[in-house]
Amino acid sequence: MRKITTGFFISLLVFLFLSGCNSNSNGVVNEDLFQYKDSYVGDNSAVGNITKQLPSPTGEQISELELKTTEPPYGIVLNYVPAETTDQIAADYKELALYNATFIFALVKNADWVDFKFVEKEYRVTRESLESWYGKDLSEFKSEDELSKFTQKYFEDENKVNDFFK
């Protein structure tokens, strides 16, 4: 009996240890996005991990990731579908597309464009147009915090975001 109890106790400790090492408050592993800095479009693992950590519109989730690597310019297509939940809040697709494209271009060296195919809207964002809008080379950023702080002032003005897509 003591042998069974000891085995159960050890198994329980191992399980708790492993669970504690891989979780945060909402049960999702929260990795540093900048560990994928200098990735390439052809690295589906890195690009997939980047896009999984980027925000999605409320009520939508990425259903498919397409990497366009046959010939330059190289690009990424993110296809979104309705999520399991039915609580649909009007999403600011434009701001979300710009924010996510900013991180993709900062992390993926050879990404020239990203297509966002949301449930209700589609947008294409190019590296050239986004860096021109910011007036800065996105590959210069060294941390998620630094890049987030930089983008905040651009997203405060809704007109500025709308002007990007004209």
Side-chain angles (χ1 to χ4, degrees):
M1 180 73 159
R2 182 177 173 163
K3 209 175 209 184
I4 293 172
T5 306
T6 303
F8 175 75
F9 181 70
I10 290 172
S11 298
L12 182 62
L13 281 176
V14 170
F15 174 75
L16 290 174
F17 175 76
L18 292 175
S19 296
C21 289
N22 290 324
S23 67
N24 62 18
S25 61
N26 61 7
V28 177
V29 175
N30 189 14
E31 301 177 47
D32 176 20
L33 276 171
F34 271 73
Q35 72 177 321
Y36 302 108
K37 178 115 174 100
D38 296 329
S39 298
Y40 290 92
V41 172
D43 184 351
N44 63 346
S45 177
V47 175
N49 284 319
I50 291 167
T51 57
K52 275 192 268 183
Q53 293 184 61
L54 293 174
S56 293
T58 302
E60 295 181 29
Q61 62 188 16
I62 294 176
S63 68
E64 184 178 23
L65 168 70
E66 297 176 47
L67 305 178
K68 302 297 184 176
T69 61
T70 309
E71 59 187 50
Y74 301 119
I76 300 168
V77 179
L78 298 173
N79 295 297
Y80 293 81
V81 295
E84 299 286 324
T85 62
T86 57
D87 298 337
Q88 185 88 12
I89 297 172
D92 188 346
Y93 291 110
K94 291 177 182 178
E95 185 175 315
L96 191 62
L98 290 177
Y99 182 84
N100 287 353
T102 298
F103 274 86
I104 290 170
F105 294 141
L107 298 170
V108 183
K109 272 184 165 182
N110 64 338
D112 296 309
W113 55 268
V114 182
D115 283 348
F116 295 91
K117 295 182 178 183
F118 300 114
V119 172
E120 295 181 21
K121 301 277 184 183
E122 291 185 18
Y123 296 103
R124 173 171 279 202
V125 179
T126 66
R127 177 185 294 274
E128 183 179 332
S129 62
L130 191 58
E131 288 182 342
S132 175
W133 187 64
Y134 285 129
K136 186 155 177 96
D137 180 353
L138 295 172
S139 65
E140 295 175 3
F141 289 94
K142 304 292 182 215
S143 75
E144 187 173 347
D145 187 50
E146 178 187 6
L147 185 55
S148 290
K149 286 179 183 174
F150 173 78
T151 61
Q152 283 177 353
K153 63 184 173 194
Y154 289 88
F155 298 125
E156 289 173 355
D157 183 357
E158 189 176 326
N159 292 326
K160 191 170 184 116
V161 171
N162 288 330
D163 287 344
F164 177 88
F165 290 99
K166 287 185 180 178

